[in-house]
Amino acid sequence: VAKKKKTLTMETESMPSTASAVPEKQREKEKEDKKDERDKEGEAFALLSHRQRKKMKRMLFNRAEKLSRKEKEKTERKSNRLKRKGEINEMLLNMSTDEREAWRKEAFRKKNEKLKEVQKKEKEMKEKFAKAKQNIVIDLDFDDIMTPAEKQSMVKQMRICYAVNKKAKISTRLHLTSMNGKGTSRDLREKIDGFENWQGIYTHDNSLPFEIERRGITDNEASIFFKRKKDLVYLTADSPFEISTLNENDIYIIGGFIDRNRHKMKTLNKAEALGIRHARLPINDFPQMKSSSVLTVNQCFEILVTQLEMNDWKQTIERSVPRRKIAAAAKEKLAEAPKTMTASKIPINVDKAVVDGFTDYGELSD
């Protein structure tokens, strides 16, 4: 019996494993995909100017410093937990049996109260997202025009968008497209812990939700978007049309890339190529924003969410757009003005506004 078992073991070991072959092929494919992506990133890096390269290197260095700082903080938290645990054990040893039992009951009661509070908040959050009616899409199909540093910045902006949506009184149904495991979508899953557990987020593998049904893939969300193509509105600063009020039935699309005025007409051309409507936010109605109508993704999203709550564009712009951007727009306007400008027409406290340019959700590096 032992000899037969030995023979069978040797035969099974010598046989090629089909299970191990499949992951190997998958790993090779992933390596090829990563190599292609690195090549594209290298091409994008080559197109940058000397100043942009220096800026990107500085951003990468800062990111590495941030990661090392986080690791250090994590180690410190772990050592503090162990220290606290040792102190509690020592305290319990010095107590009598009755005192120890009473302490444990009180600790158990506090823990249960905290757990109930967390569960209550989670339930309220789920109910709030379940009631959300407004659909907003962030189109992440722009990896080919972004550098690695800009993709990291886009990840930060996605985090801010989620924080805005979570804290808002009226939340929205936020859709992310091109979540195919490459570029920005890969960074979102790798860099953000718990991304898969985000509430109120709907991810789509393809570039735009309504394009999925054309490719023969069944998806309830996709079919809804495909049937409602007339309701899609691509938000772009280059559009000649302006939004006056937000329509609950409309689905607003935001281009998910870092612009910096390098990609004019990009989103407008895409909207026209797809045959969907396009419009711009009514920012030009406000004198302080006329010369700087290009917004970041999170600013554009925050304006939409705030407008749903306040229904007043002036208050929405003042609350959502950082003061530093308004001040920068004022400085641009001042630079374009004639040199004979009188002192009474010069904007007041411009520099102070730049210094105090923070939002409720933090300031982006870019």
Side-chain angles (χ1 to χ4, degrees):
V1 172
K3 283 181 180 178
K4 283 183 179 179
K5 282 184 178 179
K6 191 176 180 181
T7 310
L8 285 168
T9 309
M10 289 172 70
E11 286 176 358
T12 51
E13 284 177 356
S14 62
M15 285 174 66
S17 174
T18 52
S20 62
V22 173
E24 193 176 342
K25 287 180 181 177
Q26 194 173 351
R27 281 195 294 271
E28 286 176 3
K29 190 176 181 298
E30 286 175 0
K31 280 181 182 178
E32 287 176 4
D33 291 340
K34 284 181 180 179
K35 188 182 176 183
D36 292 340
E37 196 150 344
R38 280 197 299 270
D39 292 340
K40 284 182 181 178
E41 288 173 355
E43 289 173 6
F45 185 80
L47 294 172
L48 297 176
S49 64
H50 179 67
R51 187 178 177 183
Q52 287 172 331
R53 288 182 188 182
K54 280 180 71 177
K55 187 177 179 182
M56 193 176 78
K57 284 177 181 179
R58 187 168 63 249
M59 288 177 71
L60 292 172
F61 174 77
N62 291 337
R63 187 179 67 183
E65 287 289 312
K66 187 179 179 181
L67 288 172
S68 65
R69 189 169 64 250
K70 279 188 174 181
E71 193 65 32
K72 189 180 178 182
E73 288 172 358
K74 188 178 177 181
T75 310
E76 285 179 0
R77 284 197 301 269
K78 189 177 179 181
S79 63
N80 289 335
R81 277 200 307 270
L82 291 171
K83 187 180 177 182
R84 176 63 181 158
K85 193 175 180 180
E87 288 173 356
I88 290 170
N89 288 335
E90 190 177 347
M91 181 186 68
L92 291 172
L93 286 170
N94 296 328
M95 287 181 178
S96 64
T97 309
D98 293 339
E99 287 174 341
R100 200 180 297 126
E101 191 65 28
W103 185 89
R104 281 176 176 161
K105 281 182 180 178
E106 182 64 18
F108 185 72
R109 185 187 65 79
K110 286 180 179 178
K111 189 177 179 180
N112 277 347
E113 281 183 1
K114 192 176 179 181
L115 184 64
K116 283 178 182 178
E117 189 67 28
V118 170
Q119 287 174 348
K120 185 183 176 182
K121 284 182 180 179
E122 285 180 355
K123 188 180 177 182
E124 288 174 356
M125 192 65 63
K126 283 180 181 178
E127 287 175 357
K128 187 174 76 167
F129 281 120
K131 291 176 184 176
K133 295 179 181 178
Q134 187 72 65
N135 289 283
I136 298 176
V137 181
I138 297 180
D139 183 11
L140 297 175
D141 187 29
F142 295 98
D143 285 336
D144 56 331
I145 61 170
M146 286 196 292
T147 64
E150 287 174 342
K151 289 174 189 176
Q152 293 302 315
S153 182
M154 182 53 57
V155 171
K156 288 182 184 178
Q157 292 189 33
M158 290 298 100
R159 189 185 278 119
I160 294 171
C161 287
Y162 177 66
V164 169
N165 203 28
K166 197 175 178 181
K167 292 180 181 180
K169 289 183 180 179
I170 302 174
S171 295
T172 63
R173 293 163 59 86
L174 180 58
H175 300 262
L176 304 180
T177 66
S178 298
M179 294 296 291
N180 49 20
K182 298 178 182 178
T184 308
S185 66
R186 183 192 64 202
D187 292 340
L188 278 169
R189 290 190 168 98
E190 287 181 357
K191 305 296 179 185
I192 301 177
D193 295 331
F195 172 76
E196 301 297 338
N197 299 324
W198 279 9
Q199 296 180 29
I201 300 287
Y202 302 87
T203 58
H204 306 270
D205 292 340
N206 292 272
S207 57
L208 274 175
F210 62 86
E211 291 181 346
I212 297 176
E213 191 168 283
R214 292 179 182 175
R215 302 177 190 182
I217 301 170
T218 56
D219 185 349
N220 291 331
E221 285 292 329
S223 61
I224 290 168
F225 279 97
F226 185 73
K227 289 172 184 175
R228 294 175 59 189
K229 186 176 177 179
K230 60 182 176 61
D231 297 329
L232 295 169
V233 180
Y234 213 118
L235 297 177
T236 170
D238 302 311
S239 176
F241 309 110
E242 192 174 82
I243 293 174
S244 56
T245 56
L246 294 181
N247 188 352
E248 192 178 277
N249 296 322
D250 285 342
I251 301 166
Y252 298 103
I253 305 171
I254 303 170
F257 65 98
I258 308 298
D259 193 348
R260 294 198 180 100
N261 289 323
R262 287 190 291 118
H263 307 288
K264 287 185 179 294
M265 309 295 286
K266 186 77 177 175
T267 48
L268 179 62
N269 292 338
K270 183 168 185 178
E272 288 179 347
L274 294 171
I276 59 177
R277 291 183 297 158
H278 50 80
R280 58 181 168 83
L281 295 173
I283 294 171
N284 291 347
D285 294 343
F286 305 96
Q288 69 269 32
M289 290 298 298
K290 268 188 179 179
S291 61
S292 183
S293 57
V294 179
L295 301 168
T296 60
V297 173
N298 63 288
Q299 287 167 2
C300 189
F301 180 78
E302 189 173 349
I303 286 171
L304 293 174
V305 173
T306 308
Q307 178 63 13
L308 287 172
E309 178 190 337
M310 306 188 80
N311 198 26
D312 185 326
W313 286 111
K314 186 181 179 182
Q315 292 182 26
T316 297
I317 297 296
E318 288 175 356
R319 180 173 161 182
S320 304
V321 179
R323 291 181 189 177
R324 71 180 186 280
K325 192 168 187 70
I326 295 172
K331 278 188 173 182
E332 285 178 23
K333 192 176 179 183
L334 180 62
E336 291 172 2
K339 292 181 180 179
T340 56
M341 180 182 281
T342 59
S344 61
K345 292 184 180 180
I346 297 173
I348 301 169
N349 292 334
V350 170
D351 292 327
K352 184 181 177 184
V354 174
V355 173
D356 192 25
F358 292 88
T359 64
D360 294 339
Y361 306 99
E363 187 178 71
L364 291 175
S365 61
D366 61 324

